[in-house]
Amino acid sequence: MNGGQALIRSLELEGTDTIFGLPGGAILPVYDPILDSPIRHILVRHEQGAGHMAEGYAHATGRPGVAMVTSGPAATNIVTPLADAYMDSVPMICITGQVATASLGTDAFQEADTVGITRSVTKHNELVTSAADIPLKVRQAFHLATTGRPGPVLLDIPKDIVDPNNPDAWFDWVWPTDDEVRASLPGYRPTTTGHPRKVREAAEMILAAERPVLYVGGGVLKARAAESLRELAELLDIPVVTTLMARGAFPDDHPLCLGMPGMHGNYTAVTAMQRSDLLIALGSRFDDRVTGKLAEFAPLAKVIHVDIDPAELGKVRNANVPIVGDCRQVIDAILADLIHLGGADAATDITAWRSTVSGWQEKYPLAYDQSEPGELLKPQYVLEQLRDLSPEDTIVVSGVGQHQMWASQFWTFRHPYTWINSGGLGTMGFSVPAAIGAKVGMPDRTVWSVDGDGCFQMTAQELVTAATERIPVKVAILNNAYLGMVRQWQEMFYEERYSEVYLSPDLPDYVKWAEAMGCVAFRVESPEEVAPTIRKANEIDDRPVVIEFRTDSSEKVFPMVPSGKGNDEIVVSQDSDEAEGITQ
């Protein structure tokens, strides 16, 4: 078997059903055996699209997404998705072509130091120099990407070791065993079970808390721990906040759910964390968008911090009880200890705390003013209609900006793995290709991409891919003619000096553009048109659909904790002259 055949055969044996990619000179020998493989290859229009599609596929399915591109500029084009996947702990396998080994370091055509460039944005990367190593390297890549803290792994493959015309590309096929894979990575032993003494300390601390909050991050979803989380919350009636990366990990319509904390979180979630005496942080990393000004964050709270990555413990906020381990396994262990210690009968009465939290929910709901006749649409109204007229288990994939925050705020997530976004890196242009990847992974589910006009213009060309491949994603563009979030900051903090944020409501013509890419397209400008158009879009299932909603550029995302401020200074609404301080 030659190296190219071995690479494809290895991907098949790891369960790969789809590769998102774009061929070129250095990777050509690997593309030839794809013709004889059951793996579906989806030909993208830009390598960045391949990476985000692989991410969307992984988010939606829990299985690693696979992207394959050639050398040089193709490899540099996929760096952004790698960085995105690294920040959000997304399992992803990236195969890049490389110039022949004899040409390495000579500035050969389309040569780039891909391993050097991607070292800081991958969990692991490697230049493979022998065809016979390919099966083991692929097995290692999948093992590393999916165990411990998930993340992207890159294999850089020189052309000569996969070229059937080169004698060095031929070898005797051997598929390594699981034991051989583990033995080949002697320094890699992720800790998955929490230390029993720390787990017991955590259980005792939870039982003694008067104002506990479960602070849930994306790690809970990565660990497939949603059911265990619910059991823990319901055992002692502990309120739950779900970060931007954890939306759906706990049902939004559950009485214990407080929603999203952070810069654009709701008042109750932000304030409950501030007033808590115990934060039970599960797979969350105390991101600066959650803590606000760190010195003023949750000043009275002790912290139990559970994370599979020991580097996260104490990185931002010291933990009274740090626990390294897989979230599901640790939650189950804490549950067992809580029950052993007496469960709800042994816990401190937190009825007063629940009552206080309920009072905040009643006093500070999310709200907006509906548009008057003749005015542009309110984006929140559009999202409410999308939510109410789409199946309950619809997968929502957002871009980055105001529309992302409104989507997180106004959608009701009842199921895990129904919310996909770029949380850590905040990559504009993420939504359309990630939605395509999610739809490929979950073809029976409705997938809506919620995008802004600025984001859409960055990667819209991938709708050509979707139309060609008959991938019927649906795209809602909230067109407010601006880079909306930047405009909001300029309005609030730069005295309305709108520097370089105006795009145009009419250029490009989104309907014509979408139709030219093979999509069905609509434009909606009044509230009466919103629901009927969404219904039409949801009925189309043989090609992509794009709806352009003309929305009000003056609308801002609230609540908001201004950058550099503490969470006590949360601004609850557009009409607030001053920040609403948290009542002590």
Side-chain angles (χ1 to χ4, degrees):
M1 185 176 290
N2 67 58
Q5 293 169 325
L7 183 53
I8 297 302
R9 181 64 180 146
S10 299
L11 293 174
E12 291 171 1
L13 290 173
E14 285 291 351
T16 302
D17 57 23
T18 307
I19 296 173
F20 305 95
L22 197 149
I27 200 70
L28 263 181
V30 182
Y31 265 83
D32 187 69
I34 289 178
L35 292 174
D36 303 318
S37 170
I39 296 176
R40 179 185 186 185
H41 182 275
I42 292 179
L43 176 62
V44 302
R45 268 48 180 180
H46 190 286
E47 291 87 354
Q48 183 182 359
H52 292 319
M53 287 180 204
E55 285 189 274
Y57 177 97
H59 271 288
T61 66
R63 304 191 299 272
V66 179
M68 186 160 71
V69 300
T70 193
S71 63
T76 58
N77 281 343
I78 209 168
V79 170
T80 295
L82 287 169
D84 196 279
Y86 187 68
M87 288 282 280
D88 287 347
S89 305
V90 179
M92 175 176 163
I93 307 296
C94 182
I95 309 293
T96 50
Q98 184 54 276
V99 300
T101 51
S103 300
L104 287 169
T106 67
D107 291 336
F109 178 68
Q110 292 193 331
E111 181 187 6
D113 177 12
T114 303
V115 169
I117 290 168
T118 61
R119 180 167 293 126
S120 63
V121 294
T122 51
K123 183 175 179 181
H124 175 77
N125 67 4
E126 190 165 354
L127 175 69
V128 182
T129 56
S130 167
D133 290 342
I134 287 175
L136 178 61
K137 297 304 178 187
V138 172
R139 290 224 64 192
Q140 288 177 338
F142 276 81
H143 181 64
L144 291 166
T146 56
T147 56
R149 181 176 183 165
V153 176
L154 181 143
L155 296 179
D156 200 27
I157 310 291
K159 184 174 183 176
D160 53 317
I161 70 165
V162 289
D163 184 356
N165 297 315
N166 185 335
D168 292 339
W170 293 88
F171 69 101
D172 294 328
W173 168 264
V174 177
W175 186 238
T177 65
D178 290 347
D179 288 341
E180 288 170 334
V181 174
R182 284 191 288 269
S184 69
L185 299 166
Y188 181 72
R189 296 286 185 271
T191 299
T192 56
T193 56
H195 192 286
R197 180 169 55 82
K198 293 295 181 186
V199 169
R200 175 57 62 93
E201 288 178 16
E204 291 171 347
M205 194 174 284
I206 292 170
L207 291 173
E210 297 178 350
R211 301 185 304 280
V213 171
L214 282 158
Y215 162 31
V216 176
V220 167
L221 291 172
K222 300 297 186 300
R224 272 12 201 192
E227 290 185 9
S228 296
L229 168 67
R230 182 167 181 157
E231 193 175 344
L232 174 60
E234 291 179 344
L235 178 67
L236 302 178
D237 280 346
I238 302 173
V240 179
V241 303
T242 49
T243 68
L244 184 65
M245 293 305 298
R247 307 289 290 123
F250 195 76
D252 278 338
D253 54 357
H254 194 288
L256 292 171
C257 186
L258 308 185
M260 183 177 73
M263 176 176 277
H264 291 295
N266 66 63
Y267 181 91
T268 303
V270 172
T271 309
M273 293 182 77
Q274 281 298 99
R275 295 294 308 280
S276 166
D277 70 345
L278 177 64
L279 289 175
I280 308 159
L282 304 172
S284 49
R285 58 188 178 87
F286 293 88
D287 181 83
D288 59 287
R289 290 292 174 111
V290 170
T291 65
K293 189 177 181 180
L294 185 59
E296 299 175 9
F297 173 65
L300 304 176
K302 294 180 179 177
V303 172
I304 298 166
H305 193 174
V306 180
D307 205 292
I308 189 92
D309 184 353
E312 290 296 335
L313 304 179
K315 186 179 78 175
V316 176
R317 172 77 176 246
N318 286 331
N320 300 83
V321 179
I323 305 176
V324 180
D326 171 84
C327 268
R328 185 176 57 79
Q329 295 190 43
V330 174
I331 292 172
D332 288 345
I334 291 174
L335 270 167
D337 271 10
L338 286 171
I339 293 168
H340 178 75
L341 292 170
D345 293 338
T348 301
D349 183 0
I350 62 169
T351 304
W353 174 235
R354 290 283 315 284
S355 177
T356 300
V357 169
S358 297
W360 290 330
Q361 287 178 307
E362 187 174 342
K363 186 175 180 182
Y364 297 108
L366 291 171
Y368 67 95
D369 295 324
Q370 179 58 289
S371 57
E372 297 293 331
E375 292 180 345
L376 291 167
L377 297 165
K378 291 302 176 83
Q380 300 95 326
Y381 174 72
V382 172
L383 285 161
E384 286 178 335
Q385 292 294 298
L386 274 173
R387 175 198 65 200
D388 293 343
L389 296 171
S390 300
E392 184 181 294
D393 61 355
T394 293
I395 296 173
V396 183
V397 186
S398 84
V400 170
Q402 288 181 312
H403 59 282
Q404 176 188 26
M405 296 300 128
W406 283 317
S408 176
Q409 289 178 339
F410 285 89
W411 205 278
T412 303
F413 295 99
R414 297 184 177 89
H415 306 280
Y417 320 113
T418 53
W419 166 244
I420 298 172
N421 83 131
S422 169
L425 197 62
T427 303
M428 291 179 66
F430 173 86
S431 180
V432 169
I436 294 170
K439 183 66 177 175
V440 170
M442 304 294 281
D444 296 330
R445 301 276 287 279
T446 299
V447 177
W448 270 103
S449 159
V450 175
D451 221 357
D453 46 328
C455 284
F456 183 79
Q457 292 188 48
M458 291 190 173
T459 54
Q461 81 283 345
E462 296 306 338
L463 284 174
V464 178
T465 304
T468 304
E469 296 278 345
R470 295 288 177 184
I471 303 166
V473 292
K474 307 180 194 307
V475 182
I477 307 171
L478 303 185
N479 176 15
N480 66 358
Y482 278 90
L483 299 173
M485 190 61 89
V486 185
R487 184 188 190 280
Q488 175 169 336
W489 281 47
Q490 289 174 335
E491 183 168 336
M492 295 179 66
F493 311 122
Y494 290 84
E495 301 176 338
E496 301 184 12
R497 290 165 59 83
Y498 299 121
S499 176
E500 301 300 328
V501 288
Y502 178 69
L503 295 173
S504 167
D506 305 309
L507 290 176
D509 184 319
Y510 292 100
V511 171
K512 290 181 179 176
W513 188 11
E515 289 175 343
M517 291 188 288
C519 307
V520 178
F522 306 100
R523 177 174 294 120
V524 175
E525 299 180 275
S526 69
E528 300 76 39
E529 299 173 287
V530 172
T533 310
I534 292 170
R535 288 193 184 96
K536 277 187 213 171
N538 278 334
E539 290 170 358
I540 296 170
D541 204 29
D542 62 347
R543 72 198 73 182
V545 184
V546 175
I547 307 179
E548 176 202 6
F549 295 97
R550 295 289 183 98
T551 60
D552 182 356
S553 62
S554 67
E555 196 66 20
K556 292 189 282 295
V557 185
F558 286 102
M560 179 178 187
V561 178
S563 180
K565 300 290 186 180
N567 285 345
D568 285 347
E569 298 179 79
I570 185 171
V571 181
V572 295
S573 75
Q574 194 157 354
D575 298 326
S576 299
D577 294 327
E578 297 178 356
E580 293 270 356
I582 292 175
T583 305
Q584 296 297 319

